[in-house]
Amino acid sequence: MIAAESARATKTYLGVLCLVLGGYGTQAMMLTRSLFEGTVIAHWATLEPETAWDRFERHGRHTEMIWGSKLESEGWQEPSPLSPIDADDRAELDKLFGKRGEKPWTGLNVWQMVQDILGLWDDDGQQLLTHARISLWNANQVLHATAQGLMGSANINVAGLGFDAFPSSTYIRRSLLTAFWCYLQTLSLLFDHFNLTDAREEVRQLSGEMHRAFSSN
């Protein structure tokens, strides 16, 4: 799970960089929501490995059930009646992950997992809490159809109200800072878990340089 989250985070982080370089900071900010959730889940899985694996497997089974139901409802697949055991299993999985599969495979929301993993940081999770309170909240606002998300690209001047629909500097710094911090946490966990000490030290030195770069701006 740690390896999988790290691979996913790497591609997402590269996606953020591509978007930022193109002037699409708002869309990059949306991706930081995924990066934050990924690093939280990866850390939580180290504390609850048996629970994590059990729920991951059950979530996969639940997803297959929902997918089958959707295909059947569209007439793309012949209906298959559930046995009493399958029906009970589906009901239990619905309760854990939601009837539409709207809950994450961990069965917990991000804030619940954040509280569980605070002790994994040297500062008792203060940086994690700061990013959860500020960066995660901001990313959620930008990602979803909120007033802040819709008006984040608004420009008000003497000519009237306009909206930024092309490459710009909007959310560039915020998305870079959030993405860098989240990806750093995931990489550090990966290197620690698999005892990649040389890579861990290289990342530690690089992170110090990057933090100074952010501070200077």
Side-chain angles (χ1 to χ4, degrees), residues 50-106:
E50 294 183 3
T51 300
W53 179 250
D54 175 67
R55 291 185 182 177
F56 187 77
E57 186 276 329
R58 295 170 74 188
H59 187 267
R61 192 165 73 251
H62 188 236
T63 300
E64 291 180 357
M65 290 180 176
I66 293 177
W67 186 239
S69 297
K70 290 180 180 296
L71 295 179
E72 291 174 7
S73 65
E74 294 296 330
W76 296 351
Q77 178 175 295
E78 289 296 323
S80 55
L82 292 176
S83 68
I85 296 178
D86 290 338
D88 290 342
D89 188 30
R90 175 63 187 269
E92 184 179 349
L93 294 176
D94 283 349
K95 184 177 180 180
L96 184 58
F97 303 118
K99 290 184 178 181
R100 296 178 299 278
E102 64 271 19
K103 297 180 181 179
W105 68 261
T106 60

Side-chain angles (χ1 to χ4, degrees), residues 52-206:
W53 179 250
D54 175 67
R55 291 185 182 177
F56 187 77
E57 186 276 329
R58 295 170 74 188
H59 187 267
R61 192 165 73 251
H62 188 236
T63 300
E64 291 180 357
M65 290 180 176
I66 293 177
W67 186 239
S69 297
K70 290 180 180 296
L71 295 179
E72 291 174 7
S73 65
E74 294 296 330
W76 296 351
Q77 178 175 295
E78 289 296 323
S80 55
L82 292 176
S83 68
I85 296 178
D86 290 338
D88 290 342
D89 188 30
R90 175 63 187 269
E92 184 179 349
L93 294 176
D94 283 349
K95 184 177 180 180
L96 184 58
F97 303 118
K99 290 184 178 181
R100 296 178 299 278
E102 64 271 19
K103 297 180 181 179
W105 68 261
T106 60
L108 303 170
N109 63 44
V110 173
W111 271 103
Q112 288 173 315
M113 288 184 286
V114 164
Q115 298 302 318
D116 289 341
I117 65 176
L118 291 176
L120 295 178
W121 275 262
D122 293 337
D123 63 353
D124 293 326
Q126 290 308 304
Q127 280 194 40
L128 175 65
L129 284 174
T130 297
H131 278 274
R133 286 192 293 257
I134 304 299
S135 302
L136 176 64
W137 181 84
N138 192 197
N140 274 327
Q141 293 293 305
V142 174
L143 174 63
H144 299 293
T146 64
Q148 180 180 351
L150 293 176
M151 295 303 293
S153 60
N155 298 306
I156 303 176
N157 51 47
V158 293
L161 174 65
F163 292 91
D164 168 24
F166 298 96
S168 68
S169 61
T170 304
Y171 289 125
I172 293 295
R173 289 188 179 182
R174 292 189 193 184
S175 58
L176 277 176
L177 178 59
T178 303
F180 175 73
W181 186 87
C182 291
Y183 187 47
L184 177 63
Q185 309 312 306
T186 303
L187 274 188
S188 299
L189 179 66
L190 175 73
F191 296 151
D192 286 343
H193 187 75
F194 292 102
N195 297 317
L196 303 174
T197 54
D198 291 342
R200 181 69 170 85
E201 178 59 23
E202 185 176 346
V203 167
R204 188 191 66 79
Q205 294 179 4
L206 179 62

